[in-house]
Amino acid sequence: MKIFYSETHRQHNPAFEVFDGGKRVPYLESPERMERILKALRKTDWAEIEPPRDFGLDPIRAVHSEEYLAFLASAWIEWLAVDPDSPAAAEKIALMPATFAAKRDQMPEAILGKAGFFLLDLSVPIVEGTFAAALASANCALSAAETIALSSVSRLPSAFALCRPPGHHAGREIAGGYCFLNNAAIAAQWLTRFGKVAILDVDYHAGNGTQDIFYARRDVLTISLHADPAFEYPYYAGYATETGAGEGLGFHHNFPLPAGTDDAAYLQTLDQALARVREFTPAHLIVSIGMDIYGGDPLGKFKITREGIREIGRNIAALNLPTAIIMEGGYNTDALGDNVAALLKNFK
């Protein structure tokens, strides 16, 4: 299996985030996550790790707005330019919003205002290398998509994009939940030239950004299994009643699950989701995987075991579709690598 990975992710390494209740804590979405996954994959005899190719900005512009991309590209420089001679200038270790946009019909001119316009929460601090890391992450996803679309091998192709930062909370022009560019959506949009695409999101948190991007479309089926937003991030999206709009009505499905969901309950719900994928008959499948479904994850409240994760991978692989697997969340670094390998082994 081809694994696409870029060391550029290390350029996005904020010193802290502001967590629930206003606590300042070390950034959980850390470079160590990738180190643990790579260590586990290098122990296998089937992982072929290689850098992504650069697809340029056009595939990213097909998903994210020009204004949003311009903000991500210039935010750090604009932030440094604010009072550069003041004593506080040396303390500018990250850009975070001063306010959040209650309405979005007027984009502010000041950089702190722009940050509140484009950043959903305090888990997406911008540092000098954030945009470069996000672009490299998107290129990993696009490389995986290209591999499954253009593979010349006789066996059913699959590929894994070891993406960091993750992407599924990023909407068309908003960042949130550690996500800046929606890697899965960018890969799916690129694949639509070959036919219909299904996106299956099995991260612990709802894929609200992916939902936002494809909500009114019928050529991309989006499905998300996740913790019920009644008690879990992102709170405002991910409900079962959200099923698409306009031409996309009926082409988005949320499966919110209660705290304490175990292997049996999760797999039963997954069967329902996979039935919808089969009915859609896509040419290609994108799977957003989040290992925060694991029972020991600090940001999750499910009780999924490693064997459960292995079975999730086995059941998805049984769809027999060309599949690009995109890394999303997962913050128990002790178990993260082995959990990812357990799922991926089904696709090798």
Side-chain angles (χ1 to χ4, degrees), residues 74-94:
S74 66
W76 181 251
I77 298 300
E78 289 188 56
W79 176 226
L80 290 184
V82 177
D83 297 327
D85 299 323
S86 71
E91 299 177 6
K92 289 181 178 179
I93 57 176

Side-chain angles (χ1 to χ4, degrees), residues 204 225-228 231 255-269 293-295 301-305:
Y204 173 76
L225 285 72
H226 51 259
D228 194 330
F231 71 87
F255 291 90
L257 296 165
T261 293
D262 60 11
D263 291 355
Y266 193 97
L267 290 166
Q268 184 178 31
T269 305
I293 62 174
Y294 182 64
K301 297 182 177 70
F302 287 172
K303 295 182 178 179
I304 310 299
T305 66

